[in-house]
Amino acid sequence: MSDDALVIFTPSGKRGRVAKGTSVLEAARKLGVDLDSVCGGRGICSKCQVAPGVGEFPKHGLTVAEDALSPINAVEERYDRVRGLKPGRRLGCQACVQGDIVIDVPPESQVHKQVIRKSATERAMEMDPATRAFFVEVPEPRMDDPKGDFERLARALEDDWGIEGVEADLSVLRKLQPALRKGGWKVTVAVNDARDGNRPRIVQIWPDYRDAPLYGLAIDLGSTTIAGHLVDLTDGRVLASGGVMNPQIRFGEDLMSRVSYSMMNAGGADEMTAAVRAALGDLAASLAEEGSIGPDEIVEAVVVCNPVMHHLLLGIDPVELGQAPFALATGTALDIAATEIGMGNLAPAARSYILPLIAGHVGADAAGVALSEAPETRDELSLIVDVGTNAEILLGNRSRVLACSSPTGPAFEGAQISSGQRAAPGAIERIEIDPVTKDPRFRIIGNEHWSNEPEFGDPQITGICGSGIIEAVAEMRMAGLLDGSGLIGSAEQTGTLRCQPMGRTHEYVIHDASPDGPRITVTQGDIRAIQLAKSALYAGARLLMDEMGVETVDRVVLAGAFGAHISAKHAMVLGMIPDAPLANVSSAGNAAGTGARMALCSVKARRGIEQQVRRITKIETAIEPRFQEHFVAANALPHATAPFPELSKIVTLPDVNFNTGGGDDGGRRRRRRG
Amino acid sequence: MSDDALVIFTPSGKRGRVAKGTSVLEAARKLGVDLDSVCGGRGICSKCQVAPGVGEFPKHGLTVAEDALSPINAVEERYDRVRGLKPGRRLGCQACVQGDIVIDVPPESQVHKQVIRKSATERAMEMDPATRAFFVEVPEPRMDDPKGDFERLARALEDDWGIEGVEADLSVLRKLQPALRKGGWKVTVAVNDARDGNRPRIVQIWPDYRDAPLYGLAIDLGSTTIAGHLVDLTDGRVLASGGVMNPQIRFGEDLMSRVSYSMMNAGGADEMTAAVRAALGDLAASLAEEGSIGPDEIVEAVVVCNPVMHHLLLGIDPVELGQAPFALATGTALDIAATEIGMGNLAPAARSYILPLIAGHVGADAAGVALSEAPETRDELSLIVDVGTNAEILLGNRSRVLACSSPTGPAFEGAQISSGQRAAPGAIERIEIDPVTKDPRFRIIGNEHWSNEPEFGDPQITGICGSGIIEAVAEMRMAGLLDGSGLIGSAEQTGTLRCQPMGRTHEYVIHDASPDGPRITVTQGDIRAIQLAKSALYAGARLLMDEMGVETVDRVVLAGAFGAHISAKHAMVLGMIPDAPLANVSSAGNAAGTGARMALCSVKARRGIEQQVRRITKIETAIEPRFQEHFVAANALPHATAPFPELSKIVTLPDVNFNTGGGDDGGRRRRRRG
């Protein structure tokens, strides 16, 4: 009888011979099979559960005997009694190989598991976390062995886990001795090994075995809002999501006004840096509370943001980003202490990873979108538009990916709109205008019914959010309330008293409960703001299409927290995006945030996007004369030109002209970059 | 005629053929010759000066022609005119090889130069600084190349200097863009590459070429005083030296009382941490001022200290160091940001290196002494005693080195002595007592004359410093004013009215200007404090000698700021140190500080002491019963036993006994560790 046995692991297919008596966990390590373990084979963590096969395996030419694994032992019995072991499962650290066998490693026992995300359009995410927990027993100090507690811990990490040359910040070192003593010389440590040419680092330490996941934060730091997800680093699950306003808004609504604030006020950049860092700390605390965990259980944060926010977050004066050639101080991905960017409440030495910037005006948020949407993996030509205060635009396919950003301003987010507001309960998010009566009906966030339905009731109506204003403007155009230049007609011209004079122009009244309630209107100024925003967006997309030498794209992806709510039809009526088959216009939700989440869960994803960013061709809109041409040309609210059946209404857009030489400048006022 | 030429560099002897037209600097790089350059061959820095030889070189079988180097060019002429070039010197980056030649690299043009220290007993120091300056030209940003300024700088450092994967802290990144623009895309950067498994780091940046050395601090952080040297990192020269009291003294005079303070006061350790860090920052500022440089020109600090100070400096609660087994939180050498230990006023990303600790009671200060004195390089057996509040003791030779520390308390530093004071002008530092009249004469710091000489004048006499009290006690013993147990005799017993009653014991009056001036005496309590201190010191030394199996040592080195001032004769009369030929007792000054300076100047020295510390055998005095035995046995003030002619007086020490059953306990009270 042979002294060793054949072990075949599925689904990896890795196989090899091991000495009989070898534990399944040891066999997996020896054969390079991805089998998780936190406790290092002490029968505590149960991460190494496997499903051994018994019987015939014709594919492998193998018959596995009942006794190919050692019988269930006391540790497994106890574990099953106390916590329950799924039928057919064994603890890989306890079960020993006694004969040829096929062993399946279920996804939850793999460190680098594939996590299928909910939406069918989203890609599977591979877990490859930068920070992992390790349970170690540390030899007690002895008078005759003067090595420090840390040195003995480092040695144990090397011996048990093969982690070499581990370092610890002072913040961790000061917790070390109490933790070791409280845990009876057993501790669980979180080790970050992001492999960027530096040594692995202990970022947190707990006494004894810690039976809980490590957590991370994925943060999308926008000019207007800061959105964050609290993520389980074991499986990528989102425990809590939340957002706060970016407190820098008080220094300027758009990026360029913040750059100006910095240029015109000594210490202005530092003020803005302090404000955004404080907000990040607060966001981390509130997400931890919502997720019912301690903030110090968060071991990592990944941030995506545009270049100006990036520099302000890092404490770098963004002045160079306000003028050609828009030189970044640094654009590569950064791996720094989370305390350095305001999150001093996380694990003591928690790290933060900031995705690479693409160019002076195309940020880490665009890199997040590129990571999440991966246009380079498709044959079809994708146009990906992340709509925010700045729009990040990507165009590409397998052969080539282009990127630019376009200064849309905050109008799409409901800011600088007279009745505008953030997307929150009470905000009008959808609207239809009857082309005959010119009367609107609408829906508000938090209410499933249209305003003309009895079930709508009498809710509080507070304003219009970004998607609502886009629909309002498009519907006004379709109902003949706007002419092709964007001018609102008078009551006389439009035949509805909802068009009221307002100074030298007009406004359209959507809802009027005055004097006791809100009066919600769309003013001529609102129309102009939306025209400017949509022209900028369209011009950016067209610029990339010129560069790519195409007149159409195969698919359009609307990304951004707000992009998810935009009606593709209305966006196309407005001319926000180039024409494409409506069926091929999809929403990717907050793709930048998703990219942050992917980078949070996977070092491989970080290295991937770092490489991809170097391959992306950057187009600078600010100095490109064609951008200005496209911008001016896109200002009108056009007739539809493409024969899309879904948009049959568009071809009947009324060809009216309300211009009577009044006070409106026809939307030709230029926006400042921002 | 050949296209290449033979180049022989002296003193390295490195040789090889290079293409004619190659600059001497390029030839040196190609052949691995250590030739300095900061400006990278731009003819700015003049660090690459060489002395070409002309004529016959029989040793090399070479005749060097007059035109073996290219003629002096415009850059060299200009340099000579403006700044002066020594006769026979050429700029290595300008002079090109035209024929076979011998080129001498003078010491000042070597990065790794040997610096001979002043004292003949001290070892030569090899410069191998962790932080070096590099001048680089950085390509300007272009709109069509979206790489950040930092990425272009990093690329230039790699291309010009072979420095790969350089990193920069945020504190440097925020200075980068202004520096590049102010310097016209030329900057001088200080790069720390201490090669500890992490990437090299930019620690400071200056616009354009910076024509000045980099500076470092060597700090000896003692329990009572903090001493620092400001050092030129080019040649190891000390520009300024200074010291401050350790502000932790207010929490406890000795280490153990500070540990107690931490145990008994919540936040006590943090308070002490803040105090010592503030003192380090202040010391750095004052040394910079004394050296007439900006604190931000200091790019590195090296610290030596005992384990309790080490932990308190790092913000680690020292409680474990107060009880067996005296477990260190960490003992390996540390390379951390200087800001983390209070020196936020140095270069923005200045590093600090802390030497390794030897054991729970044997600190980085002892490692500094081990580095400086290097007993492992000698055949003779050296006993090295660093006298401070804690004495660090090393015993060893080529075969083996032992180390321990001994809790001498602050008496040797003049603390806990009734008339004691720090070594400062006005303090009695030397004293002689006439064996017949029993009258003293003394010298004070700041006055060259003895008190019985007319030139002594009428200076202010303020107290007795450490070396003074040692001499006073030894002289009192030799003059028959003390008996073998350390008891001061009465006026009647000693025959001098200078022995005055003081409670149930006596005191010896050295100087009495009361009521208008000081009254300086040695009390029975002072004698007991010195006895305890010297017994602890002696017992530690004896313990190591036991371990080594020897009864005598070949040489004794008294180290420590204070050790330099101790009279070897008096120390031996007191029984502070084992008997050794007086000629073989030397002073090493502040050897721990010297070790810090060596580590500051040389990465090789750091790696060397890190290895050596692992080889040193540590002896823990606190739990060693023989230490207690030696301690008790050493309490007496013995007769001299060794026949040293220099100490002929000792054999005639009066054999008196003043014990009359009075109040003194005979010095058998035990000291607490500290």
Side-chain angles (χ1 to χ4, degrees), chain A residues 143 146 148-151 167 174 177 181 196-199 270 315 320 326-332 359 618 620 623, chain B residues 143 146 148-151 167 174 177 181 196-199 270 315 320 326-332 359 618 623:
Chain A
M143 201 85 81
D149 285 348
F150 173 71
E151 286 73 34
E167 282 188 330
R174 59 186 295 168
Q177 294 196 312
R181 282 149 187 85
D196 55 353
N198 286 326
R199 289 158 62 175
D270 293 341
E320 294 300 332
F326 311 104
L328 295 164
T330 182
T332 46
K618 297 85 189 174
E620 182 50 69
I623 49 136
Chain B
M143 201 85 82
D149 285 348
F150 173 71
E151 286 73 33
E167 283 188 329
R174 59 187 297 169
Q177 294 196 312
R181 282 151 188 84
D196 56 352
N198 286 325
R199 290 158 62 175
D270 292 342
E320 294 301 331
F326 311 106
L328 295 164
T330 182
T332 46
K618 298 85 188 175
I623 48 135

Side-chain angles (χ1 to χ4, degrees), chain A residues 193-209:
Chain A
D193 189 6
R195 291 160 228 140
D196 55 353
N198 286 326
R199 289 158 62 175
R201 294 180 191 87
I202 299 180
V203 298
Q204 177 61 298
I205 185 165
W206 293 273
D208 212 337
Y209 177 70

Side-chain angles (χ1 to χ4, degrees), chain B residues 430-588:
Chain B
R430 305 216 43 201
I431 188 164
E432 285 179 358
I433 299 178
D434 186 307
V436 177
T437 65
K438 321 289 188 194
D439 283 338
R441 66 169 196 161
F442 53 83
R443 275 172 51 177
I444 60 172
I445 295 177
N447 191 322
E448 288 180 0
H449 302 282
W450 288 95
S451 59
N452 61 343
E453 294 170 352
E455 298 90 335
F456 185 69
D458 187 22
Q460 215 185 353
I461 299 162
T462 51
I464 311 181
C465 72
S467 61
I469 191 73
I470 287 173
E471 297 202 1
V473 177
E475 290 282 325
M476 283 170 72
R477 175 74 182 114
M478 290 190 282
L481 301 173
L482 287 181
D483 70 8
S485 76
L487 206 58
I488 303 177
S490 64
E492 199 169 49
Q493 288 167 323
T494 59
T496 171
L497 288 172
R498 287 183 177 268
C499 287
Q500 297 278 322
M502 185 193 185
R504 300 165 72 178
T505 59
H506 295 87
E507 63 181 347
Y508 175 72
V509 181
I510 293 175
H511 176 75
D512 190 351
S514 61
D516 300 324
R519 184 167 180 276
I520 293 167
T521 69
V522 177
T523 67
Q524 189 61 57
D526 297 343
I527 303 288
R528 293 310 178 215
I530 291 295
Q531 278 179 289
L532 291 170
K534 72 103 185 180
S535 307
L537 194 58
Y538 186 85
R542 282 299 313 187
L543 190 66
L544 296 190
M545 290 165 71
D546 287 356
E547 184 71 26
M548 188 71 91
V550 297
E551 282 298 316
T552 57
V553 299
D554 298 324
R555 54 193 291 270
V556 176
V557 179
L558 293 170
F562 157 71
H565 300 282
I566 298 177
S567 147
K569 178 181 88 174
H570 292 95
M572 255 185 255
V573 166
L574 266 191
M576 275 176 70
I577 51 175
D579 292 343
L582 259 195
N584 292 354
V585 180
S586 61
S587 160

Side-chain angles (χ1 to χ4, degrees), chain A residues 236-319:
Chain A
R237 195 168 49 97
V238 174
L239 272 81
S241 297
V244 292
M245 294 301 284
N246 187 331
Q248 290 180 346
I249 288 174
R250 69 173 183 271
F251 304 104
E253 291 245 328
D254 57 34
L255 293 175
M256 218 26 63
S257 47
R258 291 184 209 165
V259 173
S260 304
Y261 182 84
S262 161
M263 291 170 75
M264 292 163 65
N265 296 278
D270 293 341
E271 245 181 301
M272 289 188 279
T273 295
V276 71
R277 288 181 181 175
L280 282 190
D282 293 346
L283 180 60
S286 75
L287 286 172
E289 192 179 340
E290 195 189 326
S292 301
I293 65 161
D296 65 349
E297 297 181 82
I298 301 172
V299 295
E300 238 184 315
V302 167
V303 179
V304 295
C305 52
N306 62 54
V308 172
M309 289 312 309
H310 178 271
H311 280 38
L312 284 174
L313 176 64
L314 298 179
I316 299 170
D317 193 319
V319 59

Side-chain angles (χ1 to χ4, degrees), chain B residues 26-362:
Chain B
E26 284 170 71
R29 287 195 181 167
K30 196 183 149 199
L31 299 174
V33 171
D34 177 17
L35 176 56
D36 199 2
S37 172
V38 169
C39 73
R42 291 174 180 80
I44 303 173
C45 73
S46 83
K47 303 282 186 201
C48 63
Q49 288 185 31
V50 293
V54 170
E56 294 296 327
F57 289 85
K59 180 182 162 195
H60 303 301
L62 206 64
T63 304
V64 178
E66 288 279 352
D67 61 353
L69 281 189
S70 58
I72 287 177
N73 70 9
V75 172
E76 291 175 283
E77 257 171 26
R78 185 177 171 283
Y79 183 83
D80 188 28
R81 200 171 61 242
V82 176
R83 317 195 44 182
L85 204 53
K86 281 192 200 166
R89 290 282 173 86
R90 298 290 301 273
L91 294 185
C93 61
Q94 302 300 317
C96 294
V97 175
Q98 299 194 145
D100 296 351
I101 190 163
V102 176
I103 298 172
D104 187 57
V105 181
E108 60 269 31
S109 298
Q110 298 166 18
V111 177
H112 302 100
K113 48 181 133 305
Q114 292 269 333
V115 179
I116 308 297
R117 280 151 58 213
K118 281 175 203 161
S119 159
T121 60
E122 295 179 26
R123 291 188 311 154
M125 182 148 60
E126 188 174 316
M127 297 304 296
D128 177 27
T131 310
R132 287 180 57 194
F134 300 94
F135 176 70
V136 271
E137 292 186 62
V138 178
E140 290 193 39
R142 293 198 323 262
M143 201 85 82
D144 59 350
D145 174 10
K147 272 199 292 292
D149 285 348
F150 173 71
E151 286 73 33
R152 275 173 284 106
L153 169 62
R155 180 62 184 270
L157 278 170
E158 184 171 345
D159 290 350
D160 291 5
W161 295 102
I163 298 169
E164 281 176 39
V166 74
E167 283 188 329
D169 285 9
L170 294 187
S171 55
V172 170
L173 281 176
R174 59 187 297 169
K175 293 187 66 183
L176 173 65
Q177 294 196 312
L180 279 169
R181 282 151 188 84
K182 191 171 171 202
W185 304 98
K186 295 190 274 291
V187 286
T188 305
V189 291
V191 177
N192 175 302
D193 190 6
R195 292 158 225 139
D196 56 352
N198 286 325
R199 290 158 62 175
R201 294 179 191 88
I202 300 179
V203 298
Q204 177 61 297
I205 184 164
W206 293 273
D208 213 336
Y209 177 70
R210 174 177 176 272
D211 188 19
L214 300 181
Y215 302 99
L217 292 178
I219 294 172
D220 179 9
L221 171 56
S223 319
T224 308
T225 56
I226 309 176
H229 299 293
L230 176 66
V231 176
D232 180 331
L233 292 183
T234 318
D235 57 12
R237 196 168 49 98
V238 174
L239 273 80
S241 297
V244 293
M245 293 301 285
N246 187 331
Q248 291 181 345
I249 289 174
R250 68 173 183 270
F251 304 104
E253 292 244 329
D254 58 33
L255 294 174
M256 217 27 62
S257 47
R258 290 183 210 166
V259 173
S260 304
Y261 183 84
S262 161
M263 292 170 73
M264 292 163 65
N265 296 278
D270 292 342
E271 246 181 301
M272 290 188 278
T273 295
V276 70
R277 288 181 181 175
L280 282 190
D282 292 346
L283 178 61
S286 74
L287 287 172
E289 194 179 339
E290 196 190 325
S292 301
I293 65 161
D296 65 350
E297 295 180 82
I298 302 173
V299 294
E300 241 185 312
V302 167
V303 179
V304 295
C305 52
N306 62 54
V308 172
M309 289 312 310
H310 177 271
H311 280 39
L312 284 174
L313 176 63
L314 297 179
I316 299 170
D317 193 319
V319 60
E320 294 301 331
L321 299 175
Q323 59 201 33
F326 311 106
L328 295 164
T330 182
T332 46
L334 289 174
D335 186 332
I336 59 180
T339 52
E340 292 204 80
I341 54 171
M343 290 182 287
N345 46 353
L346 309 190
R351 303 296 297 175
S352 61
Y353 175 81
I354 305 176
L355 267 71
L357 305 177
I358 298 182
H361 275 133
V362 191

